[in-house]
């Protein structure tokens, strides 16, 4: 932030440079998994392929979209490289990890477009045949901001009448799904929780939308969706956590709904209500089209209620949903399985996630 203050560079560029400098891996194949880098319709991807066997049927596959607030990390860092390699080995599946462009190089909707283009390219029958993938056994998945992109892409694919192949499953890991209410019980309960405090998540949203950081406090107190903001009125019922959350999550927290707010925020950042950015606000007709869904949530996470509410809305729309909640885990834990950050929470959540994919894909 000091570098940003002196206008030497954007703080996210500096942070990501440090992360990738110390953590980036080359594509190192092994006897168990072949790792290659490719380009799908202009989007870089890393592909993890188990070795084929002469008498083997077509393989299943997972399109994976990494997290990092749309601004950090990479499909090539050791944390995601390790996760996708283990997924490919455990599931005997082809895993395609999408290397979408990051903030601040590009902002919404470019990350969404990158993920959508790469996924649609992979879903082409000739491409699936090239990788020996069964077109009926494909999942789309992602964690955090990657879970946001996976959900948004899945919604878009479900409405594309020209597609001949669609995902069989979606699996969302502590996904960020809405910017409508920053005072859900989990946002209130975990507002100062390490890894992802509430103010950090709000800043990620502002950077994603290329917005003005002076608006951060107004967003925090929900001025952008006050009762007098007409643009938000039609969406309010789709994100009513008092009816969508079980009492064990609502606890004693109260809704924060401002009677008067700042309609100009939505005018300045209309993407706050764009379902390509906030999939939880999608209409019921779109939710009815979604495939069988897995959502992993953690108690110590501001985003817990995003996932729980999406699970409930999908369930209400008739979609088969598995909500896998962990009381003792935190945001981002699933990728922390390598020394020196090899946490039991990471192993626990990763094993549960892979087990569900193995049983359902």
């Amino acid at each position: 932030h000091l570098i940003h203050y002196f206008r030497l560079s954007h703080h996210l560029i500096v942070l990501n440079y440090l992360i990738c400098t110390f953590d980036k891996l080359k594509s190192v194949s092994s006897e168990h998994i072949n790792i290659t880098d490719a380009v799908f319709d202009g989007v870089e991807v890393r592909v993890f392929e188990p070795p084929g066997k002469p008498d083997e049927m077509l393989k299943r596959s997972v399109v994976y979209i990494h997290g990092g607030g749309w601004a950090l990390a990479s499909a090539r860092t050791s944390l995601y490289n390790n996760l996708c390699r283990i997924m490919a080995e455990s599931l005997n599946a082809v895993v395609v990890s999408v290397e979408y462009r990051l903030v601040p190089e590009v902002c919404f909707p470019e990350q969404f477009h990158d993920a959508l283009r790469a996924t649609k390219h992979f879903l082409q029958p000739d491409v699936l045949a090239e990788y020996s993938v069964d077109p009926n056994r494909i999942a789309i998945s992602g964690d955090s901001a990657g879970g946001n992109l996976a959900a948004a892409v899945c919604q878009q694919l479900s409405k594309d009448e020209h597609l001949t192949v669609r995902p069989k499953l979606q699996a969302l890991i502590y996904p960020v799904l809405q910017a409508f209410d920053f005072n859900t019980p989990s946002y209130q309960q975990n507002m100062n929780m390490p890894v992802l405090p509430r103010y950090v998540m709000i800043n990620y949203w502002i950077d994603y939308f290329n917005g003005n950081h002076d608006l951060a406090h107004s967003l925090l107190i929900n001025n952008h969706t006050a009762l007098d903001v007409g643009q938000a009125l039609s969406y309010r019922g789709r994100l009513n956590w008092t009816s969508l959350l079980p009492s064990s999550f609502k606890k004693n927290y109260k809704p924060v709904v401002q009677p008067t707010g700042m309609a100009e925020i939505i005018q300045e950042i209309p993407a706050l209500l764009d379902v390509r950015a906030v999939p939880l606000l999608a209409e019921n007709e779109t939710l009815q089209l979604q495939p069988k869904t897995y959502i992993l949530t953690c108690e110590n996470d501001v985003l817990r209620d995003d996932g729980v509410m999406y699970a409930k809305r999908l369930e209400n729309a008739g979609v088969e949903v598995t909500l896998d909640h962990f009381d003792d885990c935190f945001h981002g834990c699933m990728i922390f399985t390598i020394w020196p950050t090899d946490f039991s929470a990471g192993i626990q959540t990763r094993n549960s996630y892979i087990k569900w994919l193995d049983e359902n894909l």
Side-chain angles (χ1 to χ4, degrees), residues 226-359:
L227 294 176
D228 66 332
V229 179
Q231 301 97 313
L233 186 61
S234 62
Y235 296 97
R236 190 168 300 282
R238 302 178 192 178
L239 205 153
N240 180 7
W241 61 256
T242 62
S243 62
L244 292 172
L245 295 179
S247 57
S248 59
F249 289 158
K250 287 187 288 189
K251 301 182 173 66
N252 293 318
Y253 292 103
K254 305 299 181 186
V256 176
V257 182
Q258 305 293 352
T260 57
M262 297 174 62
E264 57 268 28
I265 297 176
I266 298 297
Q267 295 167 4
E268 183 175 335
I269 313 178
L272 285 163
L273 299 178
D274 190 321
V275 294
R276 297 174 301 170
V278 287
L280 186 52
L281 296 187
E283 57 189 11
N284 288 333
E285 289 77 8
T286 297
L287 298 186
Q288 291 169 359
L289 301 174
Q290 300 315 294
K292 189 174 183 178
T293 299
Y294 170 91
I295 299 178
L296 187 151
T297 56
C298 297
E299 181 67 20
N300 304 305
D301 182 6
V302 293
L303 302 178
R304 179 199 68 195
D305 295 344
D306 285 23
V308 176
M309 287 189 288
Y310 197 47
K312 186 61 176 177
R313 287 204 65 206
L314 287 170
E315 189 179 80
N316 290 344
V319 177
E320 186 176 347
V321 181
T322 297
L323 178 63
D324 199 6
H325 181 69
F326 291 83
D327 284 324
D328 56 349
C329 294
F330 57 92
H331 186 81
C333 64
M334 200 175 78
I335 60 172
F336 294 121
T337 59
I338 306 174
W339 187 89
T341 56
D342 48 341
F343 302 137
S344 60
I347 301 294
Q348 181 185 7
T349 51
R350 187 188 69 191
N351 288 350
S352 187
Y353 162 68
I354 291 178
K355 181 175 184 289
W356 185 89
L357 284 174
D358 191 34
E359 293 173 350

Side-chain angles (χ1 to χ4, degrees), residues 70-89:
W70 307 282
L72 304 174
S74 163
R76 299 184 176 96
T77 55
S78 65
L79 296 175
Y80 284 107
N81 200 84
N82 182 63
L83 172 63
C84 291
R85 179 183 57 78
I86 289 176
M87 288 167 59
E89 289 178 354

Side-chain angles (χ1 to χ4, degrees), residues 31-34 47-62 83-96 122 131-134 137-139 354-355 357-359 361:
E31 60 179 310
H32 304 294
I33 297 294
N34 182 44
V47 184
F48 300 75
E49 296 177 84
K53 300 175 184 176
D55 58 344
E56 188 177 48
M57 302 288 287
L58 295 175
K59 288 184 171 62
R60 48 194 177 178
S61 182
V62 180
L83 172 63
C84 291
R85 179 183 57 78
I86 289 176
M87 288 167 59
E89 289 178 354
S90 302
L91 299 169
N92 191 35
V94 176
V95 176
V96 176
F122 183 63
Y131 288 99
S132 300
V133 167
D134 185 340
R137 303 181 73 190
I138 301 168
I354 291 178
K355 181 175 184 289
L357 284 174
D358 191 34
E359 293 173 350
L361 185 55

Side-chain angles (χ1 to χ4, degrees), residues 2 25 67 73-74 142 149-150 157 183 204 207 259 267 295 337 357:
L2 190 63
L25 293 175
S74 163
L149 294 170
L157 294 176
N183 290 274
Y204 276 136
D207 285 321
Q267 295 167 4
I295 299 178
T337 59
L357 284 174

Side-chain angles (χ1 to χ4, degrees), residues 11-272:
H11 68 279
L12 291 172
I13 293 177
V14 176
L15 182 55
N16 209 38
Y17 174 79
L18 293 173
I19 291 172
C20 293
T21 296
F22 288 103
D23 195 40
K24 186 169 287 188
L25 293 175
K26 294 181 180 179
S27 57
V28 180
S29 299
S30 68
E31 60 179 310
H32 304 294
I33 297 294
N34 182 44
I35 303 175
T36 56
D37 291 326
V39 177
F40 285 1
D41 192 15
V43 180
E44 295 181 11
V45 298
R46 174 161 284 191
V47 184
F48 300 75
E49 296 177 84
K53 300 175 184 176
D55 58 344
E56 188 177 48
M57 302 288 287
L58 295 175
K59 288 184 171 62
R60 48 194 177 178
S61 182
V62 180
V63 175
Y64 195 85
I65 308 174
H66 71 80
W70 307 282
L72 304 174
S74 163
R76 299 184 176 96
T77 55
S78 65
L79 296 175
Y80 284 107
N81 200 84
N82 182 63
L83 172 63
C84 291
R85 179 183 57 78
I86 289 176
M87 288 167 59
E89 289 178 354
S90 302
L91 299 169
N92 191 35
V94 176
V95 176
V96 176
S97 187
V98 181
E99 185 80 321
Y100 58 92
R101 291 170 295 164
L102 302 174
V103 171
E105 175 194 353
V106 298
C107 298
F108 176 80
E110 297 309 315
Q111 285 82 355
F112 166 77
H113 287 154
D114 284 358
L116 180 63
R117 286 205 314 275
T119 304
K120 288 182 71 171
H121 177 88
F122 183 63
L123 292 178
Q124 294 178 100
D126 58 330
V127 178
L128 296 176
E130 178 185 345
Y131 288 99
S132 300
V133 167
D134 185 340
N136 297 310
R137 303 181 73 190
I138 301 168
I140 183 165
S141 184
D143 65 296
S144 193
N148 168 281
L149 294 170
V153 166
C154 203
Q155 288 183 5
Q156 186 65 34
L157 294 176
S158 71
K159 297 184 288 187
D160 190 331
E161 298 178 354
H162 302 292
L163 280 183
T164 58
V165 179
R166 289 185 173 85
K168 178 184 179 182
L169 309 171
Q170 66 174 337
L172 312 177
I173 313 303
Y174 31 75
V176 49
L177 298 171
Q178 60 89 23
F180 191 94
D181 185 354
F182 291 111
N183 290 274
T184 62
S186 62
Y187 264 113
Q188 295 186 56
Q189 172 184 310
N190 300 299
M191 66 174 65
N192 296 313
M193 186 63 63
V195 180
L196 191 64
R198 177 169 60 174
Y199 75 92
V200 170
M201 189 63 245
I202 290 173
N203 284 330
Y204 276 136
W205 275 116
I206 292 172
D207 285 321
Y208 187 36
F209 295 146
N210 196 24
N212 184 346
H213 281 270
D214 292 341
L215 298 175
H217 179 71
S218 290
L219 292 172
L220 186 149
I221 61 174
N222 289 343
N223 268 345
H224 60 305
T225 53
L227 294 176
D228 66 332
V229 179
Q231 301 97 313
L233 186 61
S234 62
Y235 296 97
R236 190 168 300 282
R238 302 178 192 178
L239 205 153
N240 180 7
W241 61 256
T242 62
S243 62
L244 292 172
L245 295 179
S247 57
S248 59
F249 289 158
K250 287 187 288 189
K251 301 182 173 66
N252 293 318
Y253 292 103
K254 305 299 181 186
V256 176
V257 182
Q258 305 293 352
T260 57
M262 297 174 62
E264 57 268 28
I265 297 176
I266 298 297
Q267 295 167 4
E268 183 175 335
I269 313 178
L272 285 163

